[in-house]
Amino acid sequence: MKEKIEKLLAEIEGLKASKEQEIEEIRVRLLGKKGSVTRLFDEFRDILPEHKREIGQILNKLKVAASGKIDELRSLIEESEQPADSKYDLTKPGDMISIGGRHPISVTRDEILSIFNKFGYILAEGPEIEDDWHVFGALNFPPEHPARDMQDTFFISNGENPVLLRTHTSSVQVRAMEKMKLPIRIVCPGRVFRNEAISARAHCIFHQVEGLYIDKKVSFADLKQAVLLFAREMFGEDAQIRLRPSYFPFTEPSAEVDVSCNICKGTGCNICKGTGWLEIMGCGMVDPNVLEANGIDSTIYTGFAFGMGIERIAMLKWQVKDLRHYFENDIRFLKEFETVI
Ligand code: DAH
């Protein structure tokens, strides 16, 4: 009897289980009605009285060991079923995750759009792959205008109305006049493409925002006011503007807009090359030829348009003077804008 108990004790010591069902089988095998421990208790009745004390003690030890082992196996299984992270100390600080920042061109574009949005301009977009009519023809470019030259434009096909990559977002003006009801008040952001050698000051891809307002009685004074309000929102409330006469085929009269240098406040520095002024956009009154080419009666309606380079505005905001930085996506450059989000 004593040997049997000791053998069973050693066996219990080495028991293993990986499932609840196996534990239940072990329990039945040991402590069930016909279990080996229960059977030993039955045999205990026939033990001689002089051995009862000694055997009784080790038999009790066996019972305690059996139920102890079952409890132990159960808690081991419960532990391994816990979700993995409960094994970790949740009060410890985690590893820092770098979330990245928004690209300075996106930040600048959204700022320009939200300023004009406040003035009532809505967003309009058009395709990057365009035809000659929308980029040049409908915008009053004479047939031999140098901007159509192979050196500037990436042509995709040739023929009467060749397919090309748009060289400016003014093409969206034409798309808008074709499908929108008057009055029209839109801002059109997007990528433009020009066949230029890549350098610090020029790139074959860049971004523009075009604006267009057509209604009855829109005047040059309205244009000047819109541009002034934009400049003050973008560059600070004491920003000044000046207009210089210029030429664009699609506007008459046309002007180039300068804003007072926000670095030196007009006293002259190397950013404004000592002039106190920075060029920010082209603009003008929509040429009546453009209105007529797009089916708008120029004796009833007038309008103004403006166009600016997003890289140019971003350069003025952050003094990043090499255009190539905006396209190379060097993580060290982009990281400098993480706080701008
Ligand atoms: N499309 C011109 C460019 O790419 C910019 C421009 C100038 C747009 C004058 C206009 C404007 O709407 O009125 O250089």
Side-chain angles (χ1 to χ4, degrees):
M1 176 98 185
K2 205 172 157 190
E3 276 146 24
K4 271 197 210 163
I5 293 173
E6 249 136 27
K7 213 174 132 219
L8 205 51
L9 258 176
E11 201 185 296
I12 288 170
E13 192 64 23
L15 279 174
K16 283 195 173 63
S18 58
K19 278 187 281 195
E20 180 58 43
Q21 195 194 340
E22 291 172 25
I23 297 175
E24 179 57 14
E25 282 164 16
I26 290 172
R27 191 193 65 77
V28 173
R29 208 169 69 224
L30 296 175
L31 302 171
K33 266 192 185 152
K34 291 180 186 151
S36 32
V37 177
T38 318
R39 245 184 291 134
L40 284 173
F41 269 93
D42 291 341
E43 283 174 35
F44 179 68
R45 276 187 234 124
D46 308 326
I47 289 281
L48 294 171
E50 58 268 35
H51 297 306
K52 272 224 153 111
R53 195 179 145 82
E54 188 199 1
I55 302 289
Q57 266 173 0
I58 50 171
L59 202 53
N60 268 331
K61 220 170 108 192
L62 177 71
K63 198 177 173 186
V64 170
S67 50
K69 187 73 188 179
I70 286 164
D71 288 346
E72 182 194 315
L73 291 175
R74 225 170 238 145
S75 64
L76 276 177
I77 283 191
E78 261 162 33
E79 215 170 90
S80 70
E81 277 170 1
Q82 293 282 317
D85 46 342
S86 71
K87 288 185 190 155
Y88 299 105
D89 179 355
L90 297 180
T91 62
K92 277 193 177 166
D95 293 336
M96 288 296 281
I97 297 169
S98 175
I99 54 163
R102 295 182 58 220
H103 195 283
I105 295 300
S106 307
V107 174
T108 314
R109 178 201 57 209
D110 290 355
E111 193 171 341
I112 297 168
L113 295 180
S114 84
I115 292 170
F116 282 105
N117 194 255
K118 271 195 279 188
F119 302 161
Y121 289 72
I122 60 165
L123 184 78
E125 282 175 308
E128 294 177 343
I129 300 173
E130 263 293 6
D131 54 26
D132 188 274
W133 170 254
H134 289 89
V135 175
F136 300 123
L139 289 167
N140 199 36
F141 279 79
E144 303 304 324
H145 195 281
R148 298 179 185 226
D149 200 292
M150 288 296 280
Q151 302 211 327
D152 278 318
T153 309
F154 289 111
F155 284 92
I156 293 169
S157 72
N158 42 38
E160 207 180 298
N161 185 23
V163 174
L164 43 87
L165 297 182
R166 66 180 178 196
T167 56
H168 56 179
T169 43
S170 303
S171 55
V172 188
Q173 284 190 24
V174 182
R175 296 263 164 209
M177 286 187 249
E178 280 170 357
K179 58 173 194 273
M180 289 175 80
K181 281 210 198 109
L182 293 162
I184 292 172
R185 189 150 40 179
I186 51 166
V187 266
C188 328
R191 281 199 298 185
V192 299
F193 308 85
R194 287 185 197 175
N195 193 359
E196 302 242 15
I198 296 170
S199 70
R201 300 178 57 95
H203 210 288
C204 56
I205 304 175
F206 56 100
H207 300 78
Q208 292 186 329
V209 174
E210 180 80 16
L212 175 70
Y213 177 31
I214 302 175
D215 202 347
K216 292 172 185 159
K217 296 194 184 124
V218 175
S219 72
F220 199 92
D222 298 325
L223 167 59
K224 205 175 155 192
Q225 187 66 7
V227 172
L228 177 65
L229 290 177
F230 165 72
R232 295 209 163 145
E233 292 276 332
M234 194 78 202
F235 298 104
E237 58 187 25
D238 30 64
Q240 303 288 329
I241 58 160
R242 74 174 182 187
L243 303 183
R244 283 179 288 110
S246 187
Y247 173 77
F248 299 102
F250 36 92
T251 44
E252 182 59 34
S254 304
E256 251 150 301
V257 181
D258 294 341
V259 64
S260 51
C261 180
N262 57 335
I263 312 298
C264 63
K265 305 284 171 226
T267 55
C269 67
N270 67 337
I271 302 289
C272 61
K273 300 198 189 78
T275 64
W277 296 95
L278 301 159
E279 188 188 319
I280 54 164
M281 65 169 90
C283 66
M285 299 306 291
V286 180
D287 193 302
N289 287 345
V290 173
L291 296 174
E292 297 294 340
N294 292 290
I296 296 172
D297 188 340
S298 65
T299 60
I300 303 174
Y301 287 96
T302 52
F304 64 70
F306 54 85
M308 68 189 101
I310 301 181
E311 282 79 3
R312 171 98 195 136
I313 305 285
M315 271 182 179
L316 300 180
K317 250 182 122 65
W318 290 300
Q319 282 90 56
V320 177
K321 281 193 267 172
D322 191 328
L323 262 182
R324 289 167 293 196
H325 286 307
Y326 292 114
F327 300 95
E328 282 163 0
N329 284 334
D330 185 322
I331 211 99
R332 290 165 299 180
F333 171 70
L334 296 178
K335 269 195 177 302
E336 293 194 30
F337 296 90
E338 276 180 10
T339 49
V340 178
I341 308 176

